[in-house]
Structures are given as C-alpha cells and as structure tokens.
Amino acid sequence: MYQEKEIFSRNELLIGSKAMDKISKAHVILFGVGGVGSWCAESLIRSGIGHLTIVDPDDVSITNINRQLPATTETVGQAKVNVLKTRLLAINPHADITAVQTIYTNDTNDLFRLDTYDYILDAIDSPEHKTNLIINATRTNATFFSSMGAALKLDASHIHTAEFWKVYGCPLAAALRRRLKKNTMPAKKFLCVFSDEVPENKGIPPIPSPGQSIRDERKARINGTIPHITAIFGFTLAGLLIQDIVHSSSLP
C-alpha cells in the first residue's frame, strides 16, 4: 500500500509540511454530494484531508450522469455516498471517510453533532434545508463555507467567491437572505461560491423516470446544468477550506 507521504508529496512541496499536517488532521463534514459536492469531496481527499463525512440521501439516477462524480451507467440506483466513498478510498486508502445516506433537515440536525467538526461545507440544493444548515452551522465554532446555485450557468468566468451578504446576481442567495431575515439570522459571516450569470433554459424539462433521486423529485423546477460549472463550483468550495488551513498555518 502506498504511504500518505508519497501520495501527497506534490501538495507538500507547494504548501509545506505544517499545512499538510493540519490538513490531514482536519475533521470535515460535507452536506450534498451531487454536481457540486461530489467534486468538492474529490478535491478534499486529493488535497490530503484525513477525516471526511459525506452526507446525501439520494441514489444515483440516470440524469445525474452529465455532472456528478459518482454517476455512471453502472452505478444508477446505488447510494451516492457509498459510491463516492469507494472512489475516495481508492485515492487515499488511509483516509477516514464516513458515508451517511440521510437527508439534512432541522429535525435531523442533532444527528450530525456539528460542533465536533473543524469545517462544515454546504452543497445542498433545497433552499429550506440550506437555510437550516446555515443557521445551525454558523452557531458552532466550525468554519463554514457554502455553495450557491450552480444550475443555469455556462460561463466559468462568472464564478466568484464572496461573503454571503455580498453575493450578487445569484437568485438562490437572494432567496436565502429573504428566508433568513424572516426567521433567524446567521450567527456569523461566511464565504460562498457563486455565479452572477443567469441564462435561460433552452430545452424541454425531462420527464421524471423510475429511480429519479429524492432531491430531484422534490424540486419545483428542474434547471439545466453543465459539468464544467458544477465541478468548478465544487473545486472552489474545497479550495476555500484548503486555503483557510494554509493561511492559518502561516500565522505565528
């Protein structure tokens, strides 16, 4: 079996041994392993994250294949978190990876013990559940990062990062801010990945097929997505975490 130091030698060459040590010891939980979250998980493990919990209720569906890492014609019907865990362990067999096939809601929040993590990452689609996670995650001491909507995007040059209240041109962020102002405000500021591009769907929405994922069935509207955008969102989300650790490692 390959040693971790061999696997991540190029990472350490760039960021140094102190940062790599902190990355390997960080405890991370990621909610949602679809178009954005699956690529985020891959990037985290390839960056050397040693402890990762991935949470998603869905099985792979045929309509996931265009953009989601676990989705192939051979994995349709399998739990996304289980497929992804197998892949991630093939990248780094030393990693501690926990797969949880459960939907995140305000009612299930206590199951996750959010205050035990160093980092909490949000790649949830549902505005309701996303709002609940924002409220609950920002009450912990963990560092929290969130992805805004990656659907209806095509031009990668429009992808940016910003503090949540400074995100612009993103309908999902605007909807979340309205929800939060009516309910409970976040306890602290947090960074987001977003795009200010809003093109229109040009095709006809697909008819739900047998085995359609839980999340897709609950959507009021299905919007078009493209793989390079969801992947860049996911890699950028992972990058926020890695950069945070690298920055903290350089402090005296």
Side-chain angles (χ1 to χ4, degrees), residues 48-91:
I49 287 293
H51 308 275
L52 178 63
T53 297
I54 50 177
V55 182
D56 196 296
D58 291 342
D59 295 333
V60 175
S61 80
I62 193 71
T63 59
N64 299 151
I65 292 175
N66 80 309
R67 69 198 184 282
Q68 299 189 14
L69 187 63
T72 69
T73 55
E74 296 178 350
T75 61
V76 170
Q78 298 179 37
K80 289 181 185 178
V81 290
N82 293 340
V83 176
L84 187 58
K85 178 178 179 178
T86 298
R87 176 178 173 84
L88 298 179
L89 287 174
I91 295 168

Side-chain angles (χ1 to χ4, degrees), residues 162-184:
E163 198 280 319
F164 175 66
W165 297 101
K166 295 182 179 180
V167 171
Y168 56 89
C170 174
L172 176 58
L176 291 171
R177 288 194 287 256
R178 288 193 296 270
R179 282 174 172 265
L180 289 164
K181 287 177 181 178
K182 289 179 180 178
N183 296 288
T184 304

Side-chain angles (χ1 to χ4, degrees), residues 26-213:
H27 287 255
V28 181
I29 187 167
L30 168 62
F31 290 93
V33 294
V36 172
S38 59
W39 299 103
C40 177
E42 168 119 347
S43 185
L44 291 173
I45 294 301
R46 289 188 186 274
S47 297
I49 287 293
H51 308 275
L52 178 63
T53 297
I54 50 177
V55 182
D56 196 296
D58 291 342
D59 295 333
V60 175
S61 80
I62 193 71
T63 59
N64 299 151
I65 292 175
N66 80 309
R67 69 198 184 282
Q68 299 189 14
L69 187 63
T72 69
T73 55
E74 296 178 350
T75 61
V76 170
Q78 298 179 37
K80 289 181 185 178
V81 290
N82 293 340
V83 176
L84 187 58
K85 178 178 179 178
T86 298
R87 176 178 173 84
L88 298 179
L89 287 174
I91 295 168
N92 181 15
H94 307 281
D96 167 29
I97 300 173
T98 302
V100 184
Q101 191 180 17
T102 303
I103 190 167
Y104 178 86
T105 69
N106 212 33
D107 293 333
T108 62
N109 175 70
D110 290 345
L111 298 176
F112 299 104
R113 301 175 62 204
L114 296 181
D115 56 352
T116 64
Y117 292 92
D118 301 306
Y119 290 90
I120 301 169
L121 301 182
D122 161 40
I124 294 174
D125 285 343
S126 162
E128 177 186 355
H129 303 327
K130 201 174 191 75
T131 300
N132 290 330
L133 181 58
I134 288 171
I135 293 169
N136 292 319
T138 57
R139 290 174 176 169
T140 72
N141 290 325
T143 301
F144 176 62
F145 297 118
S146 179
S147 171
M148 297 294 104
L152 282 178
K153 317 293 181 187
L154 189 61
D155 185 347
S157 68
H158 284 265
I159 299 174
H160 309 286
T161 62
E163 198 280 319
F164 175 66
W165 297 101
K166 295 182 179 180
V167 171
Y168 56 89
C170 174
L172 176 58
L176 291 171
R177 288 194 287 256
R178 288 193 296 270
R179 282 174 172 265
L180 289 164
K181 287 177 181 178
K182 289 179 180 178
N183 296 288
T184 304
M185 295 289 281
K188 60 186 176 184
K189 294 181 178 180
F190 58 96
L191 289 174
C192 301
V193 183
F194 75 98
S195 169
D196 62 344
E197 180 190 19
V198 190
E200 292 293 324
N201 285 313
K202 295 182 179 180
I204 299 172
I207 298 172
S209 59
Q212 186 81 6
S213 71

